[in-house]
Amino acid sequence: MQVGNLNMRLETNLNIPFYDIKSSHDPIQEELNEAIQSTFESTQYILGPQVEIFEDEFSKYCGAKNGIGVASGTDALHIALRACGIGEGDEVITVSHTFIATALAISWTGAKPVFIDVDPRTYNLNPLLLKNALSKRTKAIIPVHLYGQPVDIDSILKFAKKNGLKVIEDACQAHGARYKQKRVGSFGDAACFSFYPSKNLGGIGDGGMIVTNNDEVAARARRLRNYGQSSKYKHDDPGYNSRLDSIQAAVLRVKLRYLDDWNERRRKIAHLYTEALRDIKKVTTPFINENVESAFHLYVVLYSQRDKLITSLSQMGIGTGLHYPIPIHLQRAFSYLEISKGALPVSESIADTCVSLPMSPQLKDEDCLKVCEAISNLV
Ligand SMILES: *Cc1c(COP(=O)(O)O)cnc(C)c1O
């Protein structure tokens, strides 16, 4: 009896994970092993040549002059804010519909996050709402290239310039994405990337990077990540210990060579999904602006009975994700801001209805179509 049931279940299990790291490493395992082994033998484990070379390679890739490797994407945001002079008493405008780290980094500096709603089509920061959030204390904007789609950066930069604000891009989901042919990372005063394992460019542990064309911001960020040290035992800022490991840099250098191919594959999968889901009117597929090329970190659809759909897909062996189910202004960690439900209706509605479908460069066309078929049978 037991065995029979088990077999039945295995037969209907489509076994399509939400994201599959192992299958992205398998084809390049030998190169990765070599990079790891030689870094191990070098005995230079913190900063050192692997990190310097990777900082150079990655900042060039983004079209920016300087790269500063740090311990995580959250640290990149925090250090970039501080390097841009943001601190106690300041206000930073950002979105509530993002990963919590965007707002945490602002609060770590002592500044106050000021949330504005997102565009109902792109789910990204709505530049038309910036003026409502502006105050005498506003010092910076953090636009988030969410799900890999670049924000409307021209409008944001124009507003920032007019009002003397810094712009720090949260590009943690958008390695390699383009806005008007140019990669994200070189538009603002600084841009921040995460190398968390499941990001488009991910390490085998935590890691992050600040890229910037501003040499002063770069020098300050470089000090801040290393105890505020300007030269050995000379400390100009109360800084942090937030450095990129050599072993992560070595792994990331190998994977950077594949990033463009992987992103191209992600766009292909996104196209397949959108085509296959086109006739299912109850499911809203992503809208991509015509002047951008998304890195499709995530493929997120909206559906009114999201929770039921997730349960049913899971029973069929299809993994999904939620990005993100609770907007930051409604999180207890930020209850001190006293923002009530209903304040950001677009963000709240996306949080209630979003589902992230399986997405990784290794996802097969046939599996992508099976996911769409399952959805069409369920909704
Ligand atoms: C992942 C992520 C971060 C934080 O990066 P960590 O490396 O996990 O600290 C920040 N912002 C966004 C939008 C992210 O997706």
Side-chain angles (χ1 to χ4, degrees), residues 313-353:
L313 288 173
S314 157
Q315 282 162 356
M316 301 171 75
I318 297 173
T320 54
L322 282 174
H323 302 89
Y324 296 90
I326 307 171
I328 299 177
H329 68 285
L330 301 179
Q331 294 281 2
R332 243 171 78 191
F334 286 93
S335 59
Y336 70 92
L337 294 171
E338 297 184 333
I339 308 171
S340 48
K341 201 167 162 72
L344 301 167
V346 182
S347 301
E348 290 170 29
S349 151
I350 296 167
D352 286 341
T353 56

Side-chain angles (χ1 to χ4, degrees), residues 80-100:
L81 282 162
R82 278 210 53 201
C84 286
I86 313 304
E88 201 72 48
D90 295 336
E91 290 181 0
V92 179
I93 303 174
T94 192
V95 287
S96 175
H97 178 55
T98 174
F99 183 52
I100 191 86

